[in-house]
Amino acid sequence: MVDREAEVAMIDRFASSMRASRCRTAVTAVCGALAGLILASAPVSAAAPGGDTPEAAVRAYYEALQAGACETAATLRPGYPQKSCKEVTAVNLQNVEPKDVVGDSAVVLLSVEVVKGENRDLFTGFVGLKKGASGWTIDGSTYHSKITLGDFRAWLSKKPGFGSRAVPAEPAAAPAPVPSPAPAEALAATHPPIPQPSPEPANPAIDDGRPGAPDQQATPAPPPSELVPAPSSRPQGVPQHLALAAAIPGRDEMLDRLYSVASRESGPLTFGSQRILDACWSRADLAYRGPSEKAVHKSGPDIRRGPPDRLRPQLQAPQLSAANRNSIRSVNTGGRKLVALTFDVCEQNNEKAGYDGEIVDYLRKHGIKATFYLGGKWMATHQERAMQIIADPLFEAGNHGWTHGNMRVLKGREMQDQIDFTQAEYELTLGRLLSRDCAKTAGDTERSRMPWRLRTFRYPYGTCSPEAMQAVNAAGLAAVQWDVVTGDPWRGASAAAIARTVETRVRPGSIVVMHANGRGWHTGEAVPTFIGALARAGYEFVTVSELLSAGRPVAVAACYENKPGDNVRYDKLFGKGTGD
């Protein structure tokens, strides 16, 4: 007879080995059966049905699914059908982050992939838990992926068993939605109320056991934060930014106030504030710290990072013009010698990429405008450098996906998350910058000069699908590719070769693609050479948005490097491309 401690140790070792190997498909069936026998043979204490903490309960539930221990899973998530549990062949639990514990209820941010044979379902969102006599358990009806944390808390408080929960206040967050829009109170007396979108269910009622599937018909949730009225439904005389602010619950009050000062949608393009840049960082702070900062790391605390604190952007972009749709390769400027230098700054989920300050320092020193396509995860792991780029009036920031996902392979929610997570992380990063005392002292006028959203998107790997094209454009983002490929990620591309490529291929209205995340091996050496040559040839350096506004975009329906079809091989080489 094996004693209790030995049994527990054996179970723990088995669970750890399964998580490490991520048993799949047929192998998982054997693992699950063996795990079920082991778990069934172990005596269960009175506290076993629940977890000691909300995080422990969530982890134990998905470990039970992975092990095929369906009775254990049903105790951790009461009401979960054993039939659905038995169909699970693999689980990839990517992130579990407790957000709050109020009395006997809790909120957890969760990112998990559940595999059933050939079907994969990735859920990223919030879930509520309750604490009973035996510990914490998951309420399966509370999975929700289309809502902000503040809105989820308010929605959860109305559900059975969560009614006594006091909704914690978030820093700089607006209160729960009220009938009269708080950000536009001054307009409410003189204009009719702004139409609100109809509520939609938290999740459709589906009986397939997916992570987001409720155990019963889902209770309708409040309107998701990303839903806004169409421009045509805005009352006459109400500015676009205030209409959007009024329609989106849970917004940052400070950003709303500054946005109202700016009247951004109809004003001139601005990119940052020199006063804020100078007030928040010294020259030494801005300076490149050498090769160690450029290095790409495959281990450390920022590897396998979870989703951002805000899952969807709170500021909805206006409708994209027809001229800025599809895949933009260059701009017809009527012969005017304008060129947009662009640098991709991104990282996958299995790494922390670098920061090529040699490039940034040179551009700042010589007053050269450029556009940096920032990955959302890169912004999260390089907060200070991201804020410096955002604050610099020479630079524009663009969206380069959350973890550099291949938008031709990714579908549905996974594809949409690459867009939305990055837009949301930009809002969070901008909010942190503008909340600093150094930015506050510059005044509201300077703070309102910041772009409130990323205006353009660059497809990672230069790949897309019709679905991805529609999703990007629907988000109000112009999809900007290039017509000059430097090839700088290739180690064999010398500085001289990069400079020669740029000098010989640039035409009026060109868009040049390079990297500033440690993957442009000789880009920093090449930049001074080709910038000098282009300047002598009469070229003016502009941001991408400035270039788009200076002529007619040259756009196509497909995404490629130099010619249609030349990047198809990337689908086999990189798959989803996210590093997961």
Side-chain angles (χ1 to χ4, degrees):
M1 178 68 101
V2 181
D3 63 27
R4 174 60 178 159
E5 291 186 2
E7 287 179 324
V8 172
M10 177 171 62
I11 294 168
D12 287 344
R13 286 196 301 273
F14 185 77
S16 298
S17 67
M18 285 193 299
R19 289 195 297 273
S21 62
R22 294 182 183 175
C23 301
R24 300 277 180 175
T25 320
V27 178
T28 301
V30 178
C31 292
L34 180 57
L37 290 173
I38 295 173
L39 289 168
S41 67
V44 180
S45 65
D52 294 337
T53 66
E55 179 180 1
V58 172
R59 291 188 181 281
Y61 166 67
Y62 285 106
E63 287 171 4
L65 283 188
Q66 171 81 330
C70 295
E71 290 186 7
T72 301
T75 62
L76 290 162
R77 178 180 166 179
Y80 184 64
Q82 291 210 13
K83 177 179 179 293
S84 295
C85 174
K86 291 175 182 178
E87 294 172 351
V88 175
T89 54
V91 174
N92 178 15
L93 186 58
Q94 300 172 4
N95 184 64
V96 180
E97 185 179 341
K99 286 300 181 182
D100 69 51
V101 177
V102 178
D104 292 335
S105 66
V107 173
V108 169
L109 175 63
L110 170 68
S111 183
V112 62
E113 182 183 45
V114 174
V115 183
K116 294 183 177 182
E118 297 300 317
N119 297 319
R120 295 173 178 267
D121 187 80
L122 179 65
F123 174 84
T124 299
F126 301 104
V127 66
L129 290 89
K130 300 175 183 176
K131 187 177 182 181
S134 58
W136 290 96
T137 57
I138 299 169
D139 186 327
S141 70
T142 64
Y143 282 90
H144 205 321
S145 62
K146 291 186 176 182
I147 200 167
T148 64
L149 178 57
D151 293 345
F152 180 78
R153 286 166 169 161
W155 173 74
L156 188 65
S157 68
K158 300 175 183 178
K159 292 189 67 65
F162 294 91
S164 60
R165 131 178 297 264
V167 182
E170 293 182 86
V178 293
S180 59
E185 286 176 350
L187 295 172
T190 56
H191 294 282
I194 296 169
Q196 299 292 309
S198 301
E200 69 175 29
N203 283 296
I206 38 182
D207 186 24
D208 62 358
R210 294 188 301 172
D215 300 326
Q216 55 193 12
Q217 181 67 37
T219 304
S225 294
E226 66 268 30
L227 295 180
V228 298
S232 60
S233 68
R234 188 170 74 252
Q236 188 174 5
V238 179
Q240 170 79 0
H241 65 278
L242 288 180
L244 294 172
I248 301 172
R251 285 181 53 84
D252 187 311
E253 290 177 336
M254 177 194 65
L255 293 182
D256 276 335
R257 179 169 57 84
L258 294 174
Y259 196 77
S260 67
V261 171
S263 296
R264 302 293 300 158
E265 297 307 330
S266 59
L269 289 174
T270 58
F271 303 99
S273 163
Q274 190 66 47
R275 285 184 61 186
I276 290 178
L277 186 70
D278 293 341
C280 292
W281 296 279
S282 66
R283 288 187 179 182
D285 293 332
L286 294 173
Y288 177 45
R289 292 191 284 272
S292 63
E293 193 175 19
K294 183 179 176 180
V296 178
H297 299 280
K298 291 292 185 177
S299 62
D302 290 320
I303 312 301
R304 301 291 178 189
R305 194 180 182 94
D309 290 338
R310 184 179 300 165
L311 301 179
R312 301 288 175 243
Q314 291 190 359
L315 177 62
Q316 181 76 1
Q319 187 173 2
L320 193 67
S321 68
N324 285 331
R325 292 182 177 274
N326 294 318
S327 175
I328 298 171
R329 307 289 303 181
S330 62
V331 174
N332 183 344
T333 63
R336 185 180 173 190
K337 287 190 171 183
L338 303 178
V339 59
L341 304 179
T342 70
F343 300 88
D344 292 353
V345 191
C346 50
E347 64 189 32
Q348 295 176 306
N349 204 29
N350 61 351
E351 65 181 0
K352 180 180 179 180
Y355 167 78
D356 197 339
E358 181 182 6
I359 295 171
V360 180
D361 287 359
Y362 180 87
L363 297 175
R364 281 199 179 111
K365 181 179 179 180
H366 296 277
I368 305 298
K369 292 183 176 182
T371 300
F372 291 87
Y373 279 97
L374 306 180
K377 179 173 175 282
W378 187 94
M379 279 192 278
T381 60
H382 297 76
Q383 277 283 281
E384 206 68 17
R385 292 306 194 185
M387 289 182 192
Q388 292 169 3
I389 289 173
I390 293 168
D392 199 314
L394 287 172
F395 304 145
E396 177 180 4
N399 185 326
H400 197 37
W402 177 247
T403 48
H404 207 260
N406 182 346
M407 302 289 276
R408 188 164 55 211
V409 172
L410 295 176
K411 306 295 181 184
R413 184 186 299 156
E414 286 185 296
M415 177 197 66
Q416 193 67 46
D417 285 348
Q418 290 288 318
I419 302 167
D420 289 351
F421 283 7
T422 308
Q423 293 293 105
E425 183 61 42
Y426 177 83
E427 289 180 350
L428 292 168
T429 303
L430 177 62
R432 295 180 190 115
L433 169 59
L434 297 183
S435 296
R436 291 186 174 184
D437 289 340
C438 56
K440 291 179 182 178
T441 57
D444 285 0
T445 300
E446 286 299 312
R447 290 198 292 171
S448 67
R449 293 175 62 83
M450 302 291 180
W452 299 100
R453 58 181 174 82
L454 301 175
R455 299 171 181 270
T456 65
F457 183 93
R458 168 160 290 162
Y459 291 106
Y461 306 101
T463 59
C464 69
S465 66
E467 180 187 4
M469 189 81 73
Q470 181 180 8
V472 168
N473 288 169
L477 297 166
V480 175
Q481 297 302 98
W482 53 71
D483 66 333
V484 178
V485 180
T486 62
D488 63 344
W490 179 46
R491 288 176 183 266
S494 66
I498 293 171
R500 184 168 55 252
T501 296
V502 176
E503 293 168 22
T504 58
R505 296 186 182 178
V506 162
R507 299 290 183 270
S510 279
I511 301 170
V512 184
V513 59
M514 295 166 280
H515 294 77
N517 63 341
R519 292 245 159 71
W521 298 102
H522 301 288
T523 313
E525 304 165 48
V527 162
T529 302
F530 69 69
I531 282 180
L534 293 177
R536 289 190 295 273
Y539 277 92
E540 179 184 350
F541 302 99
V542 295
T543 68
V544 163
S545 289
E546 288 175 329
L547 184 63
L548 294 177
S549 66
R552 188 181 75 253
V554 178
V556 296
C559 297
Y560 51 85
E561 288 187 6
N562 291 305
K563 60 182 180 180
D566 63 2
N567 60 8
V568 173
R569 65 189 187 281
Y570 291 162
D571 294 359
K572 288 186 177 180
L573 285 174
F574 304 116
K576 292 184 178 181
T578 60
D580 290 309

